[in-house]
Amino acid sequence: VPLAGPTANAPNATPVAGPLVITELMYHPAAFTPEFIEITNISGQPVPLAGAEVSGVGFVFEGNAPNLPPGGFIVLTEIDPDTFRSIYNIPVTVEIYGPYPGKLDNGGERLRIRLPESSGIPDTPDLLVAADTVIYSDELPWPADADGLGKSLERTHRRSYGGEPLNWQASADTGGTPGFSGDTPPSD
């Protein structure tokens, strides 16, 4: 996990999150409800999605994927995007991608958003650099209502470490609120 700065001979600095972060996660939905992952750009700059990877579900954005604007958000789902849109009545202005090839683990796992970055060495492939890491669980102190009871996990502190349970809460709405996030990020 990248840290905010070097900390030689001192306690570790706080983890860095962004520019893309997971802001909502339906990992163990109620019966007949689809999983989803909502991703938000918390930076003040557009972020290219092409080649970005969401590990844990094995999703890689195709080379023609657009940039995600500042404050913009997208949804990844395990089912057909049009079907997902109709289930949740998501506005057409919100991009939905899927289906992703994997499944979210109902007991918890590590998810990472990894963004391509040039290695700086000619004729070598891009590196994939972690932009956000979420390590969720179905055990306390993680919210129990998100474990098969119809609620999603919603991130309460977007710039804070995604593996910290205190940065998450169960959604107030059954089924969560995919595609209805979107605080305007501060300028970089």
Side-chain angles (χ1 to χ4, degrees), residues 1 4 12-13 17 21 24 27 52 62 74 80 84 93 96 115 119-120 127 166-167 172 177-178 185 187:
V1 176
N12 285 341
V21 297
E24 188 172 2
Y27 73 91
E62 294 181 4
I74 58 169
D80 173 73
F84 187 86
T93 56
I96 302 174
L115 301 176
S119 70
L127 303 171
L166 297 176
N167 295 330
T177 58
S187 298

Side-chain angles (χ1 to χ4, degrees), residues 83-188:
T83 303
F84 187 86
R85 185 181 306 281
S86 68
I87 290 170
Y88 283 97
N89 197 27
I90 297 173
V92 295
T93 56
V94 176
E95 294 286 335
I96 302 174
Y97 293 88
Y100 48 72
K103 292 282 287 179
L104 293 168
D105 190 316
N106 290 348
E109 70 180 303
R110 177 193 320 257
L111 300 174
R112 279 196 179 127
I113 300 173
R114 298 183 341 153
L115 301 176
E117 183 178 293
S118 173
S119 70
I121 302 171
D123 301 321
T124 61
D126 285 346
L127 303 171
L128 286 173
V129 178
D132 190 33
T133 301
V134 173
I135 306 169
Y136 68 90
S137 176
D138 66 345
E139 297 179 13
L140 292 175
W142 288 89
D145 286 350
D147 187 18
L149 300 177
K151 306 287 183 161
S152 65
L153 286 175
E154 294 180 338
R155 196 171 192 156
T156 57
H157 304 287
R158 295 176 179 203
R159 294 188 179 275
S160 297
Y161 179 52
E164 171 56 58
L166 297 176
N167 295 330
W168 295 86
Q169 66 184 11
S171 60
D173 298 325
T174 299
T177 58
F180 293 96
S181 183
D183 293 344
T184 303
S187 298
D188 283 343

Side-chain angles (χ1 to χ4, degrees), residues 3-98:
L3 301 177
T7 55
N9 301 317
N12 285 341
T14 57
V16 173
L20 300 183
V21 297
I22 295 171
T23 48
E24 188 172 2
L25 177 65
M26 177 66 84
Y27 73 91
H28 187 182
F32 311 110
T33 305
E35 296 178 353
F36 65 83
I37 302 168
E38 182 183 80
I39 297 173
T40 302
N41 178 357
I42 62 169
S43 80
Q45 303 295 319
V47 176
L49 292 174
E53 171 188 282
V54 181
S55 68
V57 294
F59 189 84
V60 178
F61 289 91
E62 294 181 4
N64 62 351
N67 292 349
L68 189 59
F73 51 96
I74 58 169
V75 178
L76 303 181
T77 181
E78 67 175 335
I79 65 172
D80 173 73
D82 292 332
T83 303
F84 187 86
R85 185 181 306 281
S86 68
I87 290 170
Y88 283 97
N89 197 27
I90 297 173
V92 295
T93 56
V94 176
E95 294 286 335
I96 302 174
Y97 293 88

